Amino acid sequence: MAPEKREWSVPGPIRALLWWPGVAFVLVMVAPDSAAVGIAVSGAALMVLGAVVPMVSRRLRAPRPPRVVDAPTVEMPTVEIPPVERVA
């Protein structure tokens, strides 16, 4: 049987850059004189944000190794229950 293939997803930096056109539009509407610099900076910031956030979330969700505790084991005594006579 063939192994199952992992589904492909869009990498984080590219996913963050999908917001770039909207951010660029808002920057041009708010400050048209300094829009070129703002658009370049916002693109770089979105790309860095898209690269850092997935790494941080993976680190936070990483499984923690189990703690090894050398606790003594306890053996429980065997208890026998006597049979009950049934009266009908």
Side-chain angles (χ1 to χ4, degrees), residues 26-39:
V26 170
L27 287 173
V28 169
M29 297 306 286
V30 171
D33 296 337
S34 61
V37 174
I39 290 171

Side-chain angles (χ1 to χ4, degrees), residues 4 8 21 55 64 68 71 79 82 84-85:
E4 292 185 24
W8 183 80
M55 287 189 299
R64 305 221 189 303
V68 177
V79 178
V84 177
E85 292 183 28

Side-chain angles (χ1 to χ4, degrees), residues 12-13 15-16 45-61:
R15 230 179 332 183
L46 284 171
M47 200 164 79
V48 168
L49 185 69
V52 170
V53 168
M55 287 189 299
V56 170
S57 67
R58 259 186 258 123
R59 180 163 295 214
L60 291 176
R61 288 186 312 209

